Amino acid sequence: MPGSTFGQRFTLTTFGESHGPALGGVVDGMPAGVAIDLERIQHELDRRRPGQSKLTTARNESDRVSLLSGLFEGRTTGTPIGFTIPNADAKPGDYSHNEAHYRPSHADYTYDAKFGVRDHRGGGRASARETAARVVAGALARQFLEQLYPQGPAPQVSAYVERVQDIAMPSPPAFYDRSTVDATDVRCPDPATARRMEERILAVKKAGDTIGGSVVVVAQGVPPGWGEPVFDKLHADLAKALWSLPAVKGLELGSGFSGTLMRGSEHNDAFTSASGSIRTTSNHSGGIQGGISNGEDITLRVGFKPVATILAEQQTVTRDGSASTIAGRGRHDPCVLPRAVPMVEAMVLLVLADHALRQRSARL
Amino acid sequence: MPGSTFGQRFTLTTFGESHGPALGGVVDGMPAGVAIDLERIQHELDRRRPGQSKLTTARNESDRVSLLSGLFEGRTTGTPIGFTIPNADAKPGDYSHNEAHYRPSHADYTYDAKFGVRDHRGGGRASARETAARVVAGALARQFLEQLYPQGPAPQVSAYVERVQDIAMPSPPAFYDRSTVDATDVRCPDPATARRMEERILAVKKAGDTIGGSVVVVAQGVPPGWGEPVFDKLHADLAKALWSLPAVKGLELGSGFSGTLMRGSEHNDAFTSASGSIRTTSNHSGGIQGGISNGEDITLRVGFKPVATILAEQQTVTRDGSASTIAGRGRHDPCVLPRAVPMVEAMVLLVLADHALRQRSARL
Amino acid sequence: MPGSTFGQRFTLTTFGESHGPALGGVVDGMPAGVAIDLERIQHELDRRRPGQSKLTTARNESDRVSLLSGLFEGRTTGTPIGFTIPNADAKPGDYSHNEAHYRPSHADYTYDAKFGVRDHRGGGRASARETAARVVAGALARQFLEQLYPQGPAPQVSAYVERVQDIAMPSPPAFYDRSTVDATDVRCPDPATARRMEERILAVKKAGDTIGGSVVVVAQGVPPGWGEPVFDKLHADLAKALWSLPAVKGLELGSGFSGTLMRGSEHNDAFTSASGSIRTTSNHSGGIQGGISNGEDITLRVGFKPVATILAEQQTVTRDGSASTIAGRGRHDPCVLPRAVPMVEAMVLLVLADHALRQRSARL
Amino acid sequence: MPGSTFGQRFTLTTFGESHGPALGGVVDGMPAGVAIDLERIQHELDRRRPGQSKLTTARNESDRVSLLSGLFEGRTTGTPIGFTIPNADAKPGDYSHNEAHYRPSHADYTYDAKFGVRDHRGGGRASARETAARVVAGALARQFLEQLYPQGPAPQVSAYVERVQDIAMPSPPAFYDRSTVDATDVRCPDPATARRMEERILAVKKAGDTIGGSVVVVAQGVPPGWGEPVFDKLHADLAKALWSLPAVKGLELGSGFSGTLMRGSEHNDAFTSASGSIRTTSNHSGGIQGGISNGEDITLRVGFKPVATILAEQQTVTRDGSASTIAGRGRHDPCVLPRAVPMVEAMVLLVLADHALRQRSARL
């Protein structure tokens, strides 16, 4: 596949540039019979959309999704779900300065190097706007996973902002429900830390600069057995999913880099048997052992770099290689993290939906 | 694909358990006309093989690879290259204690949860022995990449041990050639650090314990333009490749988590034009922007946990859920890092070979 | 992939039901730099659209395609091309009788058996209306292939109706240009045969019945070397492509079933050397040898069954298994062949575009 | 994937040339828990092997398969099954005349056109010897399918020679069990027809010539619901599978080309309800409607051309384009059909095993 499709059994194919007529995608492999709540899909998009708070870009996209197929009388039919999201507030004129100049740490130069041509309006295909389609698909995946076990608890995925630049939550990664996460604009479940993060973001925005940080995502209720040996380990697919998001610089599973400082005798997760189910007494493994879920919380930390668009003038070159300078215009986020939360959840949900289906082939 | 195949145009499919008759694989998509030096393939295997130094497991596998197809008169024919590596020193009897007990932080429990059956001998398919097939394929990919540009410089991939537990090289990630890396058993290119690492490993081995650390891998000479927008970003595929190795807990690209502490104005890599080619004055991006290579060094750091097999008695459960204890027997590494170096290189080489071919479709 | 995606390097993913809001698709892998003539895409759709002549269904769809991405200033950018085709003349009310009854030789029963749910309106996803998206993608593939060799002749694909029921052209398969094919409503390049075919179709239509026949498709100018050994033989991919169209019952390559009556000494295509290029003196092979194109015309014959919807009352069962009867209503074609011509061309074009790109990886 | 892998969930990857050290393959996606009878795998290979009767080539390969992984205590473990088949009776010296000359209607020229290099020994990768690996995989698929429904009847696949040149069975396609098919060397279940076929084959062999014919394959007991809408229709995947075999010139499903002569009112298969299950009163559909199985027999007819290697001198060209002649040497079959029977079964079995697993994702 050429690179716009993700997944094997539950797949998403996306299309769309930042300032073209529309973005969209196709979810294929959705099993038949899943009841779909359209408002919840829109709500996920609203969490990602620009202009949602003073912390984000001023681009004001309503981001209304239209589902065009694959649903009948409120349920999935097993056929592909096509959808579009119009670009309503596109202002391509804003980006004419991008045409000749390569913005530092953006994808302008590399797209030209690869394709010899580039839709320079607002980043084109490289714009983070592309992730809107992922959020729609993630919302569909979430509803599938919620209905997967009519009797038992559903796999749940929740992300939050753990750290903005050097302002970090004091507590270790954990599962927080959405109301707690969304209680603050910055989507940090610790109110005191959230307040400090917001102040920092606004200060940086005022300075025309940008910052990054980290998002933690936890998948709870994933049953033991998801993931495959060797190349398609559950965390290998999660890694690909998360690294395919814009601006990612680092990823940790469970104990992460800290775990690499420990001895085996400290790091190993002892098994114990609790009311009939096998559990571990610690979770340095981050819920995955040998590439396969063990029933504990799957815990990942994703590091995002500071947004590349800044207002200060920067040294760069033009397409023909002449030295030049460029300063940010257009509408951009001072910190991607609050809006990254739904993107991170979406990618984890897509991987889980895919492996939920793949798992059905594991045994005779 | 079910999980034993990696890549899209340059692919590797592997098979084999730790204590079955043989491991092996099939490399498909190798272009016709590549001259293959068989001794260099064997040499890569020798770097990975157990028993190569006092720092590694005592299992003494000669790891002789047989190439069965796809070559004719010393060159590739464009048809698949099948190969096998016999398990010569398998001692399945050593592992009978694994049958009923779940070893902590191994894949015993999760394999049972997934498949309902498990080849318990030495970890079966979950054994790191599986990576021997990856090393063979990586060695083939390397020779392809070296011959890709008859006129120009070849993409080169080199990895080394940067840190063992808390003993780290004082210098930042860089490209070291193989002779420097292989000058010490621990494969750390800084001799003083290497000495301290080796002492630590031997002390830990003596204590029956294990340790982890980090490997840095650098790809030099990758031309601008490799990688794809959106899901198959070059670093997304590298992330999947590296996270598919056993024991990985963390991954960083370029500036990594440190970069998430910086401001955009510090982190952005300014463009400059040097003798006709476009370069950046810093490389926080780690050689990849928007998922596509920009011609700078691709720099990744991989964190490996301490090996799970330790000699001390640990709390665990049996298959039927009863509390029990287990202590390591068999033959194991106190620290996986020296042998991880060729595995890491192999996975990066496979991704680069794949994207070298995918790139051929980018333009009319 | 779950079944709505076709191809490996040049791919099409489709969505849409007969009576939902829209059909559409995503073409991914289109190389950058191809000049796209939008009117020619629409023209291909017009050849497929219902209501184009008295020989086809009365459903009167304008079938206007909107391209939503992947184009910039008239050229492809290398990013996915998303498109939609609204269902303007959908009359879902017409199909209420389909809800409870299984129409004979339609997919009603099998969809229920598979999915447990079915969009019964006009065949839903099983409607031949789905092929509109294929025609759009085929039109894009055609423009890519036309520009593939700036110096040399372009691969050309042309199909025509060779036989309607027992009324067949007297001449063997050959390449006819579009003006000749489209000179008659039935798309048979022999005017006398065309006239007889049209009379037959109208008579059958009057009788409320339906008929089938065969379409011949010829690909001219495909260079030697496209296709792959073993599973992805060029004709294996063509076979899958063509058998994925609705109503196909038979397929022949080159000499076809007639060739199976010959002796090897008669059937073999002798090689000859003409002005520097290697040719064959006959073409029983149909342009493909060992799964790889040899430069001769690729010639395929596709047999289509009579359309399943007829006006006569037929024996059937209801969803709950009770005996019942059903008679066709809705709007349907008496003979699918004239409209099948652009569908057949589209599928062959998709396979050729895919293998044109795959071929770029064949050699160092 | 580059072309040596077949299937999506139940996959086969093959390697090997006719005169290299060995052929082999990897079956991935086999569910855990299938009991494997190794002798039955060998028996399938014996049905395909050369030298089995006076009707086949004199090459005398024992074709002993070694299974190298994926089995433990007689059952599958869910991990890939690697296997090799040594080329014991390879006589590469026999084929030196192939090096410079292109054998008519073989793949010599097209391989050179594609790859620029060719293993000329006995056809190399293009040799039908490659199908041995398919037969092993098909035998594994068969055992999986037999154990799929512990309570119910198993899907069964049986093929036979229906026609040799113009000598055809008088009865329509039907399911014959193996003992009936294998009762004659030619594998035609009608003894009188079989006798005439054998006489014809021996006469043609004596004349140094070759003939073709047709094989019928019937899959019985496939439950309703296998196959997918649109591109991965069950018969589209079967078509690709069968057309990937060497020497195929035509394919028919159910009524085939004869069905294209009928009217819809004759061709439609009326539904009826028999003891609780929905059946059809005729089976022109060949067991598949809308790309999905309907529970009736799946019936396909495959036409094979006469073998290309003949003893008579034929006109050809050399690699450098000079006119020349060539006459067959080496060891070849006068008629491929008796040995094609197990190959055809294997490919159908692989498709069914794949769709059996894919079907598990169809519903919530």
Side-chain angles (χ1 to χ4, degrees), chain C residues 148-341:
Chain C
L148 185 57
Y149 300 116
Q151 260 69 49
Q156 299 281 350
V157 174
S158 180
Y160 60 88
V161 176
E162 180 199 40
R163 178 172 57 78
V164 166
Q165 210 177 10
D166 58 327
I167 304 171
M169 282 178 64
S171 45
F175 186 91
Y176 293 94
D177 61 27
R178 178 167 300 185
S179 59
T180 310
V181 173
D182 282 3
T184 61
D185 284 350
V186 76
R187 294 204 169 90
C188 171
D190 183 65
T193 310
R195 204 158 36 240
R196 293 171 55 217
M197 288 172 171
E198 294 181 7
E199 283 163 15
R200 174 71 60 83
I201 292 172
L202 292 174
V204 162
K205 185 184 182 183
K206 203 166 177 181
D209 215 336
T210 59
I211 45 178
S214 66
V215 167
V216 163
V217 59
V218 179
Q220 201 167 59
V222 174
W226 292 11
E228 306 223 15
V230 186
F231 298 117
D232 294 354
K233 290 182 162 77
L234 186 57
H235 55 277
D237 279 356
L238 287 164
K240 170 159 177 157
L242 293 166
W243 282 92
S244 76
L245 288 170
V248 172
K249 301 304 293 180
L251 181 68
E252 295 183 301
L253 170 68
S255 63
F257 281 103
S258 309
T260 69
L261 292 164
M262 298 163 79
R263 290 198 170 202
S265 53
E266 303 164 291
H267 192 269
N268 282 356
D269 296 318
F271 282 110
T272 183
S273 185
S275 57
S277 75
I278 291 174
R279 303 290 308 272
T280 61
T281 55
S282 55
N283 188 18
H284 296 120
S285 299
I288 301 174
Q289 293 178 323
I292 299 170
S293 60
N294 68 354
E296 306 297 324
D297 283 2
I298 296 173
T299 308
L300 294 150
R301 175 180 288 116
V302 195
F304 288 91
K305 71 170 186 175
V307 171
T309 301
I310 58 175
L311 293 192
E313 195 172 85
Q314 298 173 85
Q315 174 193 344
T316 190
V317 295
T318 59
R319 285 194 74 166
D320 57 15
S322 325
S324 183
T325 61
I326 192 167
R329 274 175 287 178
R331 298 159 297 184
H332 298 278
D333 292 273
C335 177
V336 78
L337 277 85
R339 294 178 60 204
V341 164

Side-chain angles (χ1 to χ4, degrees), chain A residues 87-319:
Chain A
N87 286 322
D89 190 31
K91 298 188 182 169
D94 279 15
Y95 294 92
S96 52
H97 61 301
N98 292 357
E99 189 170 1
H101 297 77
Y102 291 137
R103 292 170 298 160
S105 289
H106 275 277
D108 302 339
Y109 166 57
T110 54
Y111 269 59
D112 265 359
K114 182 175 195 70
F115 295 119
V117 62
R118 170 171 55 99
D119 182 345
H120 63 264
R121 300 167 303 171
R125 183 71 176 149
S127 167
R129 183 147 179 71
E130 159 266 318
T131 60
R134 309 188 189 205
V135 170
V136 171
L140 288 163
R142 193 190 298 272
Q143 297 192 33
F144 160 53
L145 290 168
E146 286 173 355
Q147 298 170 48
L148 185 57
Y149 300 116
Q151 261 68 49
Q156 299 281 348
V157 174
S158 180
Y160 59 89
V161 176
E162 181 200 40
R163 179 172 56 78
V164 166
Q165 209 176 12
D166 57 329
I167 304 171
M169 282 178 64
S171 45
F175 187 92
Y176 294 94
D177 61 25
R178 178 167 300 186
S179 59
T180 310
V181 173
D182 282 4
T184 61
D185 284 349
V186 76
R187 293 205 170 91
C188 171
D190 182 66
T193 311
R195 203 157 38 238
R196 294 171 55 217
M197 288 172 169
E198 294 181 8
E199 284 162 14
R200 174 72 60 83
I201 293 172
L202 292 174
V204 161
K205 185 184 181 183
K206 204 166 176 182
D209 214 335
T210 60
I211 44 177
S214 67
V215 167
V216 164
V217 59
V218 180
Q220 201 166 61
V222 175
W226 292 12
E228 306 223 15
V230 187
F231 298 118
D232 295 354
K233 290 182 162 78
L234 187 56
H235 56 277
D237 280 355
L238 287 165
K240 171 161 176 155
L242 293 166
W243 282 92
S244 77
L245 288 171
V248 173
K249 300 302 293 180
L251 181 69
E252 294 184 303
L253 170 69
S255 63
F257 281 103
S258 309
T260 69
L261 292 165
M262 298 162 79
R263 291 198 170 203
S265 52
E266 303 164 292
H267 192 269
N268 282 355
D269 296 318
F271 282 111
T272 182
S273 185
S275 58
S277 75
I278 291 173
R279 303 291 307 273
T280 61
T281 55
S282 55
N283 187 18
H284 295 119
S285 299
I288 301 174
Q289 293 178 323
I292 300 171
S293 60
N294 68 355
E296 306 297 324
D297 283 2
I298 297 173
T299 307
L300 295 151
R301 175 180 289 115
V302 195
F304 288 92
K305 71 170 186 176
V307 172
T309 301
I310 57 175
L311 293 192
E313 195 172 83
Q314 299 173 85
Q315 173 192 345
T316 190
V317 295
T318 59
R319 286 195 72 167

Side-chain angles (χ1 to χ4, degrees), chain A residues 1-2 8 110 114 163 209-210 227-228 232-233 237 240 244 249 251 260 265 268-269 289 308 314 359, chain B residues 1-2 8 105 110 114 163 209 227-228 232-233 237 240 244 251 260 264-265 268 284 289 308 314 359:
Chain A
M1 304 296 305
Q8 290 216 2
T110 54
K114 182 175 195 70
R163 179 172 56 78
D209 214 335
T210 60
E228 306 223 15
D232 295 354
K233 290 182 162 78
D237 280 355
K240 171 161 176 155
S244 77
K249 300 302 293 180
L251 181 69
T260 69
S265 52
N268 282 355
D269 296 318
Q289 293 178 323
Q314 299 173 85
Q359 170 60 0
Chain B
M1 304 296 304
Q8 290 216 3
S105 290
T110 53
K114 182 175 196 71
R163 180 172 57 78
D209 215 335
E228 307 223 14
D232 294 355
K233 289 182 163 76
D237 280 355
K240 171 159 177 158
S244 77
L251 181 69
T260 70
S265 53
N268 282 356
H284 296 120
Q289 293 177 323
Q314 299 173 83
Q359 169 61 359

Side-chain angles (χ1 to χ4, degrees), chain C residues 1-6 8 12 14 102-107 109-116 125 130 134 163 165-166 200 204 207 209-214 224-233 235-237 239-240 243-246 248-257 259-273 278 281 284-286 289-290 292-294 301-310 314-319 321-322 347 358-359 362-363, chain D residues 1-6 8 12 14 102-107 109-116 125 130 134 163 165-166 200 204 207 209-214 224-233 235-237 239-240 243-246 248-257 259-273 278 281 284-286 289-290 292-294 301-310 314-319 321-322 347 358-359 362-363:
Chain C
M1 304 296 304
S4 303
T5 297
F6 186 81
Q8 290 216 2
L12 169 64
T14 70
Y102 292 136
R103 292 170 298 160
S105 289
H106 275 277
Y109 167 59
T110 54
Y111 269 59
D112 265 359
K114 183 176 195 69
F115 295 119
R125 183 70 176 150
E130 159 267 318
R134 309 188 190 206
R163 178 172 57 78
Q165 210 177 10
D166 58 327
R200 174 71 60 83
V204 162
D209 215 336
T210 59
I211 45 178
S214 66
W226 292 11
E228 306 223 15
V230 186
F231 298 117
D232 294 354
K233 290 182 162 77
H235 55 277
D237 279 356
K240 170 159 177 157
W243 282 92
S244 76
L245 288 170
V248 172
K249 301 304 293 180
L251 181 68
E252 295 183 301
L253 170 68
S255 63
F257 281 103
T260 69
L261 292 164
M262 298 163 79
R263 290 198 170 202
S265 53
E266 303 164 291
H267 192 269
N268 282 356
D269 296 318
F271 282 110
T272 183
S273 185
I278 291 174
T281 55
H284 296 120
S285 299
Q289 293 178 323
I292 299 170
S293 60
N294 68 354
R301 175 180 288 116
V302 195
F304 288 91
K305 71 170 186 175
V307 171
T309 301
I310 58 175
Q314 298 173 85
Q315 174 193 344
T316 190
V317 295
T318 59
R319 285 194 74 166
S322 325
M347 293 314 297
R358 296 178 69 170
Q359 170 60 1
R363 300 189 188 194
Chain D
M1 305 295 306
S4 304
T5 298
F6 186 82
Q8 290 216 2
L12 169 64
T14 70
Y102 292 137
R103 292 169 298 159
S105 289
H106 274 277
Y109 167 58
T110 54
Y111 269 59
D112 265 359
K114 182 176 195 71
F115 295 118
R125 183 70 175 151
E130 160 266 318
R134 308 187 190 207
R163 179 172 57 77
Q165 208 177 13
D166 59 328
R200 174 73 59 86
V204 162
D209 213 336
T210 60
I211 45 177
S214 67
W226 291 12
E228 307 223 14
V230 186
F231 298 117
D232 294 354
K233 289 182 163 78
H235 56 277
D237 280 354
K240 171 160 175 154
W243 282 92
S244 76
L245 288 171
V248 173
K249 301 303 291 181
L251 181 69
E252 294 183 302
L253 170 68
S255 63
F257 281 102
T260 70
L261 293 164
M262 297 162 81
R263 292 196 168 205
S265 53
E266 303 166 292
H267 192 269
N268 282 355
D269 296 319
F271 282 111
T272 182
S273 184
I278 291 175
T281 55
H284 296 119
S285 299
Q289 293 178 322
I292 300 170
S293 61
N294 68 355
R301 176 181 287 116
V302 195
F304 289 91
K305 71 170 187 175
V307 172
T309 301
I310 58 175
Q314 300 172 83
Q315 174 193 346
T316 191
V317 296
T318 58
R319 286 194 74 167
S322 326
M347 292 315 296
R358 295 178 70 170
Q359 169 60 1
R363 300 189 188 195

